[in-house]
Amino acid sequence: MKKDLLKVNRKDAKLAMAHLYVAFTALALGGLAGLLQVLVRSGRFTLPAGIGYYQVLTVHGVLLGLVLTTFFIIGFQHAAVSRTSGTYSNKSRFLGWIGFWVMLIGTVMSALMILLNEATVLYTFYAPLQAHWIFYLGLVFVVVGSWIGGSAMIIEYIKWRKNHPGQPSPLLTFMVIINTVLWIVATLGVAGTVIFQLLPWSLGFVERVDVLVSRTLFWYFGHPLVYFWLLPAYMAWYVIIPKIIGGKIFSDSLARLSFILFLLFSIPVGFHHQLVEPGIDAFWKFLQVVLTFMVVIPSLMTAFSLFATFEMHGRSKGSKGVFGWFRKLPWGDARFTVPFIGMVAFIPAGAGGIINASNQMNQVIHNTIWVTGHFHLTLATSVVLTFFGIAYWLVPHLTGRILTKAMNKLAIVQAIVWAVGMSIMSGAMHAVGLLGAPRRSSYSTYGDASQALEWIPYQIAQAVGGTILFIGIFLILYIFINLAFFAPKGEQEFPVGETVEAAEKTPMVLENWKIWMTVLVALILVAYSVPFIDMIQNAPPASKGYRLW
Ligand code: HAS
């Protein structure tokens, strides 16, 4: 194989690392806000200097849910395309840098407004909560910056396909492109509400805003957003983990098909976040619930494929019985063990998602802290632990250093600390959510004191779990700084798996964008056109804004 395909080019590495520095800075600050917030929720701690609970909650959600994820993903994706499709052209790299700076300027604008208490609108920022216009403009910058960065990846993909007619593109590059297209189509919704509704409203050009339309546009974006977070973790599970364990990818075609299904079914499902909202006809909610169950299928395919990879590898090493493969896995290697803990967490996390999506059961858990428990298992455990697992080889690869034995051990300790802290915190959130404890409320805002008393043990458990997690954040930051600046110089592999020899040839129809984009647009039109026209024709009186501070 050509040398530049084994190692990310130095200039591309700098671009990817710039994104990772921002991501880990967001982790440090967002993690601190998280600790403060669970302490306030425990009812035993008041924030100094008049800092409000909702302000800290907004800092936590925006920094971890939006900044950490977006910067990490775009940095990882730049590295993945450069590694598997070859060094970026100067034009693409330049676009990558423009995208980075535009996103960073936007992040600083929005973060400043949150810190000044001018944008305490939580990470979902939907109306009628109103923020300063600079906050919204910052968001526009972040989205546009991500499109510019994404366009660099698409240009490299097109270039590869032109140079290799009739061949399927490298699997990892293909997956990156699916995630980028998913992101671009999804962000059209949030860009729509921010540019046409929230910005003019916050600038005072219009007095009122249609809340239902803005929430619908938000959730058109909000659900694919969670798959934008998930798919890079799946890239690692499908392509990188097989190589680390010394095995092979079970099926290139199955991996591609599952990514295509994510692209098709992750967007027309936003109503499952709005099942209890008036103004949307039950039929359209039902349709989107059905489509939500369709988007579970590629995750089940992923689970199947992972079990197949592990079993094939185990058998090649002489394992016997149904679970014999388990003992043949490289448990001492953090690059495997850390994401594996994420995979295990995704089994209960996914089951929770299926409960959420089941129309009737949604009535029980909606707006309770169960939902917060759900996304701390999915995003903050499965996805984030996989991101940490990626960082353990990606950062030294990009900085020309190595993951030492000591750091490898510490990384495994970090993942165990994280898993323990998250099990306690997220477990308590799920349990007290079933008792009816609301999400997004501090101790002082509970109306019914007798119920609040029943919830106290769970709130203390959340504070204990949150404190353990904070130790986990210290550990990961220590490892990151070590790998970026202090680890010994050397060559760390960027592992990319190969498909088993016996696998069928990948059919080119999987890369026929005309077909998939047509199906995608058709599904979106079917799921959203009529309800959207309904919302506009029968719009309730628009709302004035209000503030949480
Ligand atoms: Fe969700 C709310 C439904 C997945 C994140 N979700 C949220 C929110 C967030 C979020 C942030 O239908 C809150 C938004 C807010 O602020 O209001 N979610 C689902 C469904 C899935 C799902 C059906 N969610 C995710 C993922 C997220 C995420 C992934 C982040 C990354 N979610 C909902 C619904 C709501 C919701 C409703 C709204 C609730 C409400 O009313 O407000 C599915 O995609 C899940 C499918 C997953 C599986 C699991 C497959 C398992 C695998 C692991 C294999 C393991 C191996 C290891 C091989 C079917 C792939 C084995 C080893 C051994 C030793 C056994």
Side-chain angles (χ1 to χ4, degrees):
M1 195 179 285
K2 272 167 58 193
K3 179 106 176 103
D4 76 329
L5 280 181
L6 291 175
K7 202 162 164 31
V8 175
N9 166 279
R10 243 170 43 89
K11 289 182 183 164
D12 295 348
K14 276 196 180 147
L15 171 65
M17 272 311 290
H19 289 81
L20 298 195
Y21 289 130
V22 179
F24 280 88
T25 309
L27 176 67
L29 301 174
L32 179 65
L35 176 69
L36 295 178
Q37 177 190 302
V38 279
L39 293 178
V40 175
R41 278 190 80 97
S42 74
R44 276 156 184 65
F45 185 83
T46 322
L47 290 170
I51 302 172
Y53 167 75
Y54 290 109
Q55 189 183 359
V56 180
L57 181 56
T58 307
V59 173
H60 176 68
V62 170
L63 284 181
L64 297 187
L66 304 178
V67 181
L68 161 70
T69 49
T70 313
F71 276 88
F72 185 91
I73 291 168
I74 295 189
F76 168 56
Q77 293 192 162
H78 278 311
V81 174
S82 171
R83 161 71 171 81
T84 54
S85 291
T87 300
Y88 273 21
S89 66
N90 287 342
K91 182 178 146 205
S92 299
R93 196 177 306 115
F94 182 61
L95 275 179
W97 277 112
I98 297 186
F100 169 77
W101 284 110
V102 173
M103 275 169 60
L104 189 61
I105 292 168
T107 303
V108 171
M109 285 162 71
S110 299
L112 264 179
M113 288 302 113
I114 300 173
L115 293 177
L116 293 172
N117 208 11
E118 290 286 339
T120 298
V121 287
L122 311 179
Y123 89 106
T124 38
F125 57 86
Y126 39 55
L129 289 180
Q130 194 183 49
H132 195 284
W133 62 269
I134 295 180
F135 172 83
Y136 297 121
L137 194 63
L139 293 180
V140 174
F141 272 60
V142 174
V143 169
V144 172
S146 71
W147 289 346
I148 300 173
S151 66
M153 299 168 204
I154 295 176
I155 290 173
E156 288 302 309
Y157 169 73
I158 294 173
K159 189 174 89 187
W160 193 97
R161 289 204 59 191
K162 265 199 189 137
N163 293 339
H164 303 82
Q167 290 179 39
S169 58
L171 181 56
L172 200 52
T173 296
F174 175 79
M175 291 169 152
V176 165
I177 299 306
I178 290 270
N179 206 28
T180 306
V181 174
L182 180 150
W183 175 251
I184 292 172
V185 178
T187 42
L188 291 176
V190 73
T193 179
V194 170
I195 294 172
F196 296 112
Q197 291 190 287
L198 303 180
L199 253 180
W201 175 56
S202 61
L203 281 164
F205 297 158
V206 289
E207 198 199 352
R208 290 166 181 271
V209 69
D210 186 326
V211 172
L212 185 57
V213 168
S214 90
R215 287 173 68 97
T216 302
L217 286 171
F218 180 85
W219 284 120
Y220 164 95
F221 151 80
H223 199 74
L225 167 70
V226 314
Y227 293 114
F228 173 70
W229 298 332
L230 180 68
L231 291 192
Y234 274 16
M235 293 176 203
W237 296 1
Y238 271 113
V239 181
I240 284 149
I241 292 293
K243 174 76 177 186
I244 292 175
I245 66 173
K248 293 267 164 90
I249 300 169
F250 170 63
S251 160
D252 179 286
S253 312
L254 182 140
R256 282 179 209 251
L257 180 64
S258 89
F259 268 60
I260 289 172
L261 293 179
F262 274 117
L263 174 64
L264 299 184
F265 291 111
S266 68
I267 296 170
V269 296
F271 284 171
H272 73 224
H273 292 265
Q274 299 175 276
L275 291 176
V276 300
E277 270 175 47
I280 305 170
D281 189 86
F283 171 79
W284 298 107
K285 289 181 179 170
F286 173 74
L287 180 80
Q288 294 211 10
V289 162
V290 172
L291 291 174
T292 304
F293 279 87
M294 296 294 290
V295 81
V296 171
I297 293 172
S299 279
L300 296 176
M301 287 163 63
T302 305
F304 173 81
S305 176
L306 290 168
F307 278 116
T309 295
F310 294 149
E311 184 169 349
M312 278 182 338
H313 168 254
R315 295 215 182 277
S316 73
K317 299 244 158 197
S319 75
K320 300 252 170 341
V322 180
F323 289 107
W325 51 267
F326 194 79
R327 296 178 40 198
K328 303 285 177 191
L329 292 169
W331 295 109
D333 188 339
R335 297 171 310 156
F336 162 74
T337 305
V338 177
F340 187 86
I341 298 176
M343 288 178 205
V344 174
F346 203 48
I347 296 174
I354 294 171
I355 290 172
N356 300 348
S358 309
N359 191 18
Q360 286 86 338
M361 282 196 267
N362 185 270
Q363 318 292 308
V364 179
I365 55 85
H366 184 69
N367 265 343
T368 70
I369 199 166
W370 160 287
V371 177
T372 319
H374 165 67
F375 65 72
H376 278 85
L377 263 194
T378 47
L379 173 61
T381 311
S382 302
V383 170
V384 162
L385 275 183
T386 305
F387 286 2
F388 292 169
I390 292 173
Y392 297 145
W393 51 262
L394 182 61
V395 174
H397 178 90
L398 298 176
T399 54
R401 298 175 188 275
I402 51 164
L403 173 68
T404 56
K405 277 194 178 147
M407 282 304 128
N408 180 63
K409 252 195 197 147
L410 196 60
I412 295 179
V413 172
Q414 194 284 339
I416 294 170
V417 168
W418 198 266
V420 170
M422 203 56 93
S423 305
I424 298 173
M425 192 179 85
S426 168
M429 286 171 166
H430 277 92
V432 74
L434 289 181
L435 296 178
R439 66 186 284 197
R440 297 170 155 170
S441 52
S442 67
Y443 181 79
S444 56
T445 57
Y446 293 148
D448 182 339
S450 64
Q451 275 190 333
L453 281 180
E454 195 184 311
W455 299 334
I456 284 176
Y458 299 95
Q459 267 135 18
I460 293 175
Q462 285 169 44
V464 171
T467 312
I468 297 174
L469 281 167
F470 196 63
I471 299 171
I473 290 198
F474 259 114
L475 292 179
I476 174 73
L477 289 174
Y478 177 75
I479 303 171
F480 175 77
I481 291 170
N482 178 280
L483 295 178
F485 303 108
F486 301 109
K489 293 269 178 197
E491 292 232 343
Q492 180 77 42
E493 181 196 13
F494 185 137
V496 176
E498 285 166 20
T499 315
V500 282
E501 292 79 19
E504 293 282 327
K505 210 170 147 257
T506 304
M508 284 310 287
V509 66
L510 294 174
E511 234 157 316
N512 188 331
W513 289 93
K514 277 189 201 131
I515 300 181
W516 306 122
M517 292 310 286
T518 310
V519 178
L520 173 63
V521 172
L523 278 170
I524 294 173
L525 289 178
V526 169
Y528 274 108
S529 309
V530 176
F532 213 77
I533 292 169
D534 249 13
M535 274 174 216
I536 291 172
Q537 278 182 345
N538 305 309
S543 174
K544 283 192 165 181
Y546 74 90
R547 296 183 160 204
L548 269 175
W549 66 100

